[in-house]
Amino acid sequence: MLLLILRFKYLFVIVQISGIGSVFMMPVIGNLSDVYGRKLLLTFPLTFSIFPLLILGLRRTTVFFYVYYVLKTLTGMVTEGGVMCLALSFLADNGEKRVSAFGLLAGVESAAALFGTLAARLLPTTQIFQVAAVASITALVYMRIFLEDTTRSTDALEQQPILNSTNEEGNKPLKTTDIANKIPSPKDIIRLLKSSTTASLASFVAFFINIAQAAVVDFLMYYLKARFHFQKDQFADITLIIYSGAVISNMLLDSIAWSSWVSCIISKQVGPNEQGIAQGCIMGISAFASAVSPVIYSPISGALEFLRSYIETVAD
């Protein structure tokens, strides 16, 4: 039981550090992609995601295990959400049928997770990280060879943001040129999210729904492991069911998932030169919610467990 608790503590540390780092990195990555192009910035998270997998793919000793955790924590600040942020920005550059396009992307992501989980279910533990490393390298090579960078129009009319030059509260006009030409400060990000009531509400939805989802997933895994002694195959079976439903909802039902709608709403609230930073802000908010979720729910679950033990003691 002590080893189980330590493993989940390591997992929570990775999620928290990576999530807090993503709060700052996602808007930066998105904003730089607005300036230097999506393809160039997409190279970095795809490359960084390979190194932790190679570590455990080479050897699974204690030293390599800790090296993996350190690399995973550091690279997670860029890779966790970075690929999806830039992929959404790619689709937003085209500007047509965004809801369907975002829903299809979410469906593809769920399908990839489905097949990845199926591979983990069938492969022996010693080969999982090796296969994952090969898949990551293949994705990077495919992206560099076949993916064409999107071109954003330089027409003066299209350069104007969809929002008005002043926000709904009559505050200072948004300096989109400043945001597009430098690393965004927290003040820039807050002003971007406050530029319309719709954008603010969408960011609140992203924050609270990610807190709820992270709590359910993390503590469900812990409970199933502690109470029913679930192993890799049992966790894979549950994950297969979850991702199968996600594929159906996103690809066959034209996206009823909340994440696609939030991304689409945010995309329509900003101009063509702000798509990257807008999607980066939402991804950063989602990552921050996942990071603080264990901090919020751990005391609650501990209090409930203490209350349950107390009631059982009194009843006896």
Side-chain angles (χ1 to χ4, degrees):
M1 179 61 69
L2 178 60
L3 181 60
L4 173 63
I5 294 175
L6 290 176
R7 287 177 178 175
F8 275 91
K9 283 186 177 180
Y10 280 125
L11 177 62
F12 289 156
V13 168
I14 287 180
V15 172
Q16 290 171 339
I17 296 178
S18 299
I20 294 174
S22 296
V23 174
F24 302 98
M25 292 304 301
M26 289 301 100
V28 171
I29 291 175
N31 185 63
L32 292 178
S33 72
D34 289 333
V35 180
Y36 299 106
R38 317 294 185 203
K39 185 175 181 178
L40 175 62
L41 270 296
L42 186 58
T43 304
F44 293 100
L46 287 179
T47 302
F48 293 156
S49 65
I50 297 173
F51 296 113
L53 299 174
L54 286 177
I55 294 299
L56 287 187
L58 293 174
R59 190 172 299 177
R60 297 173 60 241
T61 62
T62 303
V63 175
F64 278 72
F65 176 78
Y66 285 112
V67 172
Y68 165 82
Y69 267 109
V70 172
L71 286 179
K72 182 64 176 177
T73 302
L74 296 177
T75 59
M77 300 178 186
V78 177
T79 59
E80 298 294 334
V83 175
M84 181 57 65
C85 167
L86 296 173
L88 290 170
S89 301
F90 259 111
L91 296 179
D93 290 337
N94 295 324
E96 297 180 358
K97 298 181 179 180
R98 294 185 187 181
V99 175
S100 298
F102 285 7
L104 181 61
L105 177 62
V108 171
E109 182 188 25
S110 299
L114 175 65
F115 287 108
T117 304
L118 182 61
R121 176 69 171 81
L122 300 177
L123 290 172
T125 305
T126 55
Q127 297 180 5
I128 291 177
F129 289 95
Q130 297 173 355
V131 174
V134 172
S136 297
I137 295 173
T138 303
L140 175 62
V141 174
Y142 179 88
M143 185 274 296
R144 293 302 305 174
I145 295 176
F146 297 104
L147 184 64
E148 295 183 2
D149 205 351
T150 55
T151 56
R152 291 171 294 283
S153 175
T154 57
D155 184 81
L157 179 61
E158 292 187 359
Q159 290 295 331
Q160 296 297 323
I162 298 176
L163 296 172
N164 294 327
S165 59
T166 58
N167 59 27
E168 296 178 0
E169 298 177 355
N171 293 332
K172 186 178 179 181
L174 294 174
K175 297 181 179 179
T176 56
T177 55
D178 291 343
I179 297 177
N181 288 284
K182 65 181 181 65
I183 295 177
S185 65
K187 184 178 179 180
D188 294 325
I189 297 172
I190 293 174
R191 289 178 59 195
L192 183 66
L193 294 176
K194 291 176 62 178
S195 57
S196 75
T197 302
T198 303
S200 299
L201 292 176
S203 62
F204 276 110
V205 170
F207 178 77
F208 286 108
I209 197 68
N210 273 280
I211 283 184
Q213 285 186 341
V216 171
V217 172
D218 293 340
F219 287 100
L220 177 62
M221 291 175 58
Y222 177 82
Y223 176 77
L224 293 176
K225 180 68 175 179
R227 180 66 177 83
F228 300 104
H229 307 288
F230 267 38
Q231 300 297 325
K232 173 179 74 73
D233 292 344
Q234 287 78 22
F235 281 121
D237 292 338
I238 293 179
T239 307
L240 286 173
I241 297 174
I242 295 174
Y243 284 126
S244 297
V247 171
I248 294 174
S249 67
N250 285 297
M251 301 188 71
L252 301 182
L253 301 180
D254 199 18
S255 181
I256 60 174
W258 70 269
S259 57
S260 301
W261 287 95
V262 170
S263 299
C264 183
I265 290 172
I266 290 294
S267 176
K268 291 183 177 181
Q269 296 299 308
V270 298
N273 283 344
E274 298 170 328
Q275 294 296 329
I277 187 174
Q279 298 300 333
C281 288
I282 291 299
M283 289 298 168
I285 291 172
S286 300
F288 179 71
S290 299
V292 301
S293 179
V295 178
I296 295 175
Y297 285 99
S298 292
I300 296 176
S301 62
L304 292 176
E305 180 65 22
F306 174 79
L307 180 61
R308 183 188 66 83
S309 301
Y310 176 77
I311 293 175
E312 290 180 351
T313 302
V314 173
D316 294 338

